[in-house]
Amino acid sequence: MTSLKCSKGHENPTGSRFCLHCGEMLYDSPMSQSIQPGQTLGDRYLVVRQLGQGGFGKTYLAEDINRFRELCVLKEFSPQVQTEYVLQKSEELFEREASVLYKLQHPQIPRFRELLRLNINNKGYLILVQDYVEGETYRSLLDHRLKQGMKFGETEAKQLLQQILPVLDYIHSLGVIHRDISPDNLILRKSDQLPVLIDFGGVKQVVATVASQYYAPGSTPATPMPTLLGKVGYAPPEQMQTGSVEAHSDLYALAATILVLLTGKQPAELIDNYNLQWQWRREVNLSPAFGEVLDKMLAAAPRERYQNANQVLQALNLTATNNPPLQTPFPQHISPQQTPAQQTGQTVPVAPGKSAPTPLPITPAPHYSQPQVKSSWLTPGKIAAIFVATVALGGLTYFGVSQITSRQDPTPTVTPTSTEPPVDPKFSAEERGRKERLKARRERLGIDYNFYVQLVNQIFSAKNPSLSGRTLSDEPQDADLREEWDKTASELLDKLSELSSDARRRLGTFTSADRDRWKVRVNDINVGSRSVYDLADAPFYQEFPDQRGKNFLNQPVGQVWHGFVFDKINAVIARSDFERMQFASGDTSVTRSGTFKNRDGKIFIAQLSAGQEMEVSLTASSRVLFSIYSPSGKTALLEDSTRRSWSGTLDESGYYEFVIVSTSSQSQDYRLRLNVENAAPPEPTVEPTPTPTVEPTPTPTVEPTLTPTVEPTPTPEPTLTPTPTP
């Protein structure tokens, strides 16, 4: 049996949180948190961040470095009791469950990749590797709607059932029962807006079985007890009481999930405590036939329920024929705010404490994380509600209907795929020529048409608040407005031309996943993400000064900011915007100087020790901003400052970051001098091999919650801090 040691070397039983000899906390020791971001497991999976933690272990986001850094999910199980018998039995049960998962080959189920057996710091781990699904859980979508006073409608509920029931029919045909269906375990996939079923309960059953039956060194299994899994209120009574599960068990949980989405209430709030019957009709008004379908799925007696998914589908088809759905408006503009505690962590975060983006005047532009409306959902009433600004460029342009194209896997499509409609021939010759020139220029820059229209709509609407609710037509009376729209488009193309061709092609596809990947990569060279954001903020705010202080990440203009970060990441990794400062033997000072061109910047790092006296001075104009960040990232000695010096005693050991960035389009000279007393030369470190380009594959967030940082000072994210090289 392995043991945990405190910093003084005292040995403690596995699972101890405090040292039994000196009382030191062991919970945060490296031994108890063996898997860390930046760690490579099995010589293949680079851990990006922890996604979630439950009673059965932790879940991590990782990159498969053998598959072009493709994203995947690692589900960890590390038995609290580390005996040979426990590990062997765990492995046997996991092998059996993995073989079941391996059989599941469905586009709406994350693909199982492999089972890893690892030993980290003398601790055994079993890790399931699965595909990563980028999207939002239905729990997240519901929570955000509730904040806006909205819930899911009947049409959406039926659509969800029609899309997920074939998945259940598939797994049930293979003898697999999910056991744990709930809003947390359904993800609305971003790439195609289909629901994806995650977190099969069989894995949890393995863990629970091991935990309950094989708990001590040399013990023999106790009399097997039923493994009770599922969420209270979602799982049917017999599953929670005896562990018995059948296909209708999943149908019961699915119906409970649908009612939660329709009412915004938890199951406990929908069940009468006296007779334990579902009382959902006091919360939502549904068509009678659809209500009957849900009631039968939720029948207390298993024999009275639908026995398979096909029966439910047939009943839904019958209700669709005999009872047209109620015309429930579809709340289109959804932008969930999520936290790392949510299971998938697959979000585009909104900075805490920030107000929601100001609605765009004509029709709000869609957020990239929102569920898109499929054409099959559109009814005449909905079309009237979501029909939006027609913006010249020939033909009609719809906000919120077109979707940024991406593949099912996490790697975005980075070439323009949307087709621009032809210019309307009834426009004047001057207007047709103007639009053709814009089209040719956009295509030459490699910018996706859908993204381009959304960005221009956002900026144009902000400039014309009086047009709120107005739809631009292709009639002569709107010719002046169309000309102004085209002028806005031309100005934006000027701004976008500053980005690299790679960044321009990716506009519309950047996600929080990319930011996670970038943070891991710069941490490899002991740079924090906040420093890179400083470099990107300067050119971005110069081009979009009206965005300063706003929460723009989920807006089209936020994609432009990501483009600037993308280019700065490449420059830092390639060492053109990054340099390590080292003291020559016997020296206590080091100096660097240079010239910044158009809003350039540079990050310098130096390995220093707590207790040393540091004096830093910068010679540069007031158009150059200066930041100094501590190794932990918790302290900014200076941040986006025009101060030119700092001196004091250092509180931390590690790599300090010195960020110099020009906010001017003119050349700016600088000279940085660092003096450190009592500075012994640091041990030589092995430089990580630089990677010349940023991989386009997105990685989804943590987090740190991202907030651009030039000014005003944003709500700070717990940025990924550089890990000192020993």
Side-chain angles (χ1 to χ4, degrees), residues 447-557:
I447 299 169
D448 180 83
Y449 171 68
N450 282 343
F451 167 75
Y452 161 74
V453 170
Q454 291 172 352
L455 177 64
V456 180
N457 281 338
Q458 179 189 351
I459 303 304
F460 175 79
S461 299
K463 291 179 179 178
N464 297 275
S466 62
L467 296 178
S468 178
R470 167 77 183 281
T471 298
L472 294 185
S473 72
D474 53 4
E475 298 302 323
Q477 62 265 27
D478 279 345
D480 289 342
L481 288 175
R482 294 198 304 270
E483 182 178 2
E484 185 178 350
W485 194 97
D486 290 348
K487 181 181 177 182
T488 301
S490 179
E491 292 169 351
L492 285 170
L493 290 177
D494 289 339
K495 299 175 188 294
L496 298 181
S497 65
E498 293 191 24
L499 297 172
S500 69
S501 59
D502 280 348
R504 292 195 299 267
R505 285 195 297 270
R506 287 168 172 79
L507 292 174
T509 69
F510 289 117
T511 68
S512 58
D514 292 289
R515 298 197 298 272
D516 279 326
R517 179 187 304 281
W518 298 339
K519 290 165 191 170
V520 170
R521 297 195 69 198
V522 296
N523 271 212
D524 285 344
I525 56 173
N526 302 298
V527 172
S529 58
R530 181 161 55 174
S531 297
V532 182
Y533 299 155
D534 284 351
L535 299 184
D537 286 347
F540 174 77
Y541 284 127
Q542 188 70 20
E543 297 296 349
F544 299 92
D546 57 315
Q547 298 299 318
R548 195 181 298 275
K550 293 183 180 179
N551 177 19
F552 54 74
L553 285 184
N554 294 335
Q555 298 290 331
V557 73

Side-chain angles (χ1 to χ4, degrees), residues 240-315:
M240 301 305 298
Q241 294 167 6
T242 68
S244 172
V245 292
E246 299 289 344
H248 55 68
S249 307
D250 281 347
L251 300 179
Y252 183 104
L254 180 58
T257 297
I258 292 297
L259 285 178
V260 169
L261 297 177
L262 288 167
T263 65
K265 303 288 186 180
Q266 292 303 308
E269 301 174 88
L270 301 174
I271 298 177
D272 186 279
N273 291 329
Y274 182 74
N275 57 24
L276 301 181
Q277 297 294 313
W278 286 85
Q279 301 291 336
W280 55 264
R281 283 178 172 81
R282 58 193 176 193
E283 301 291 343
V284 62
N285 182 28
L286 302 178
S287 60
F290 185 47
E292 291 174 5
V293 171
L294 295 178
D295 282 339
K296 186 165 184 177
M297 294 173 73
L298 291 166
R303 66 178 179 276
E304 296 178 2
R305 300 173 197 151
Y306 297 107
Q307 296 302 300
N308 58 63
N310 266 331
Q311 291 178 0
V312 183
L313 281 170
Q314 292 171 8

Side-chain angles (χ1 to χ4, degrees), residues 41-56:
L41 305 180
D43 296 323
R44 178 168 183 173
Y45 300 103
L46 175 64
V47 178
V48 175
R49 65 181 176 90
Q50 182 177 324
L51 292 176
Q53 180 173 356
F56 299 125

Side-chain angles (χ1 to χ4, degrees), residues 150-454:
M150 300 183 296
K151 291 167 279 195
F152 281 74
E154 178 173 334
T155 302
E156 292 178 277
K158 288 183 177 179
Q159 180 81 7
L160 174 57
L161 284 172
Q162 290 166 345
Q163 292 174 333
I164 206 66
L165 282 167
V167 183
L168 294 183
D169 183 59
Y170 168 76
I171 67 171
H172 295 163
S173 70
L174 298 177
V176 177
I177 310 299
H178 186 280
R179 296 184 177 91
D180 197 17
I181 294 175
S182 71
D184 293 299
N185 289 336
L186 287 169
I187 293 178
L188 182 66
R189 186 163 53 203
K190 180 179 177 181
S191 63
D192 56 14
Q193 299 301 292
L194 286 176
V196 177
L197 192 59
I198 65 170
D199 267 9
F200 281 70
V203 176
K204 299 175 183 178
Q205 185 178 35
V206 169
V207 181
T209 300
V210 172
S212 63
Q213 298 181 21
Y214 311 101
Y215 55 86
S219 69
T220 56
T223 302
M225 297 292 291
T227 304
L228 307 181
L229 294 172
K231 292 182 177 65
V232 175
Y234 291 97
E238 73 276 4
Q239 180 177 338
M240 301 305 298
Q241 294 167 6
T242 68
S244 172
V245 292
E246 299 289 344
H248 55 68
S249 307
D250 281 347
L251 300 179
Y252 183 104
L254 180 58
T257 297
I258 292 297
L259 285 178
V260 169
L261 297 177
L262 288 167
T263 65
K265 303 288 186 180
Q266 292 303 308
E269 301 174 88
L270 301 174
I271 298 177
D272 186 279
N273 291 329
Y274 182 74
N275 57 24
L276 301 181
Q277 297 294 313
W278 286 85
Q279 301 291 336
W280 55 264
R281 283 178 172 81
R282 58 193 176 193
E283 301 291 343
V284 62
N285 182 28
L286 302 178
S287 60
F290 185 47
E292 291 174 5
V293 171
L294 295 178
D295 282 339
K296 186 165 184 177
M297 294 173 73
L298 291 166
R303 66 178 179 276
E304 296 178 2
R305 300 173 197 151
Y306 297 107
Q307 296 302 300
N308 58 63
N310 266 331
Q311 291 178 0
V312 183
L313 281 170
Q314 292 171 8
L316 286 174
N317 291 335
L318 186 62
T319 64
T321 301
N322 299 332
N323 298 282
L326 299 177
Q327 298 300 312
T328 306
F330 180 73
Q332 186 175 340
H333 306 291
I334 304 300
S335 176
Q337 303 185 39
Q338 291 196 339
T339 68
Q342 291 166 323
Q343 170 67 23
T344 65
Q346 299 154 25
T347 67
V348 178
V350 177
K354 294 284 187 179
S355 59
T358 303
L360 301 182
I362 296 179
T363 296
H367 296 161
Y368 293 96
S369 57
Q370 74 185 34
Q372 303 285 343
V373 184
K374 290 186 175 288
S375 59
S376 60
W377 291 355
L378 297 180
T379 64
K382 292 178 183 175
I383 293 175
I386 66 173
F387 195 101
V388 286
T390 308
V391 190
L393 285 179
L396 300 177
T397 297
Y398 299 92
F399 290 100
V401 179
S402 58
Q403 178 178 335
I404 299 301
T405 305
S406 61
R407 297 196 298 272
Q408 178 175 330
D409 63 28
T411 306
T413 300
V414 297
T415 55
T417 56
S418 51
T419 303
E420 182 171 350
V423 176
D424 196 320
K426 72 179 180 181
F427 290 154
S428 67
E430 186 278 331
E431 184 170 357
R432 289 200 307 272
R434 185 175 71 231
K435 295 185 185 305
E436 290 291 357
R437 288 191 295 273
L438 284 172
K439 178 180 179 181
R441 190 175 175 201
R442 176 191 63 77
E443 291 176 343
R444 187 165 58 251
L445 290 173
I447 299 169
D448 180 83
Y449 171 68
N450 282 343
F451 167 75
Y452 161 74
V453 170
Q454 291 172 352

Side-chain angles (χ1 to χ4, degrees), residues 494-669:
D494 289 339
K495 299 175 188 294
L496 298 181
S497 65
E498 293 191 24
L499 297 172
S500 69
S501 59
D502 280 348
R504 292 195 299 267
R505 285 195 297 270
R506 287 168 172 79
L507 292 174
T509 69
F510 289 117
T511 68
S512 58
D514 292 289
R515 298 197 298 272
D516 279 326
R517 179 187 304 281
W518 298 339
K519 290 165 191 170
V520 170
R521 297 195 69 198
V522 296
N523 271 212
D524 285 344
I525 56 173
N526 302 298
V527 172
S529 58
R530 181 161 55 174
S531 297
V532 182
Y533 299 155
D534 284 351
L535 299 184
D537 286 347
F540 174 77
Y541 284 127
Q542 188 70 20
E543 297 296 349
F544 299 92
D546 57 315
Q547 298 299 318
R548 195 181 298 275
K550 293 183 180 179
N551 177 19
F552 54 74
L553 285 184
N554 294 335
Q555 298 290 331
V557 73
Q559 289 286 299
V560 183
W561 181 84
H562 282 82
F564 280 109
V565 176
F566 174 86
D567 285 342
K568 293 302 180 182
I569 287 285
N570 277 336
V572 168
I573 297 298
R575 301 301 200 273
S576 60
D577 285 359
F578 165 73
E579 183 178 345
R580 187 189 302 271
M581 301 173 70
Q582 291 184 308
F583 296 91
S585 179
D587 287 349
T588 59
S589 65
V590 59
T591 301
R592 295 291 184 268
S593 60
T595 301
F596 292 137
K597 294 184 180 179
N598 184 17
R599 292 167 297 196
D600 284 341
K602 195 163 187 176
I603 301 171
F604 298 91
I605 67 171
Q607 188 176 15
L608 306 173
S609 300
Q612 291 181 327
E613 296 291 331
M614 181 177 78
E615 181 180 355
V616 184
S617 62
L618 173 67
T619 304
S621 78
S622 60
R623 299 298 302 274
V624 176
L625 300 179
F626 190 22
S627 300
I628 305 174
Y629 298 122
S630 66
S632 68
K634 297 178 181 178
T635 304
L637 307 182
L638 292 177
E639 187 169 14
D640 302 323
S641 176
T642 55
R643 283 182 54 185
R644 292 295 173 257
S645 63
W646 186 92
S647 60
T649 304
L650 300 180
D651 295 329
E652 300 179 35
S653 296
Y655 284 95
Y656 283 77
E657 300 168 65
F658 307 88
V659 186
I660 311 172
V661 59
S662 170
T663 61
S664 172
S665 58
Q666 306 297 320
S667 295
Q668 297 289 324
D669 295 330

Side-chain angles (χ1 to χ4, degrees), residues 98-99 101-102 104 110-115 128-131:
S99 67
L101 293 176
Y102 187 77
L104 302 179
R111 179 171 55 92
F112 170 72
R113 296 190 178 194
E114 67 171 311
L115 175 64
L128 290 174
V129 184
Q130 290 180 300
D131 279 354

Side-chain angles (χ1 to χ4, degrees), residues 115-154:
L115 175 64
L116 288 181
R117 306 165 186 81
L118 301 175
N119 188 287
I120 304 174
N121 292 335
N122 296 319
K123 191 174 183 180
Y125 289 84
L126 294 170
I127 297 177
L128 290 174
V129 184
Q130 290 180 300
D131 279 354
Y132 165 71
V133 179
E134 184 178 4
E136 309 295 339
T137 67
Y138 277 80
R139 167 61 60 194
S140 167
L141 296 174
L142 176 62
D143 288 345
H144 187 74
R145 291 192 185 192
L146 291 176
K147 292 177 183 178
Q148 297 180 336
M150 300 183 296
K151 291 167 279 195
F152 281 74
E154 178 173 334

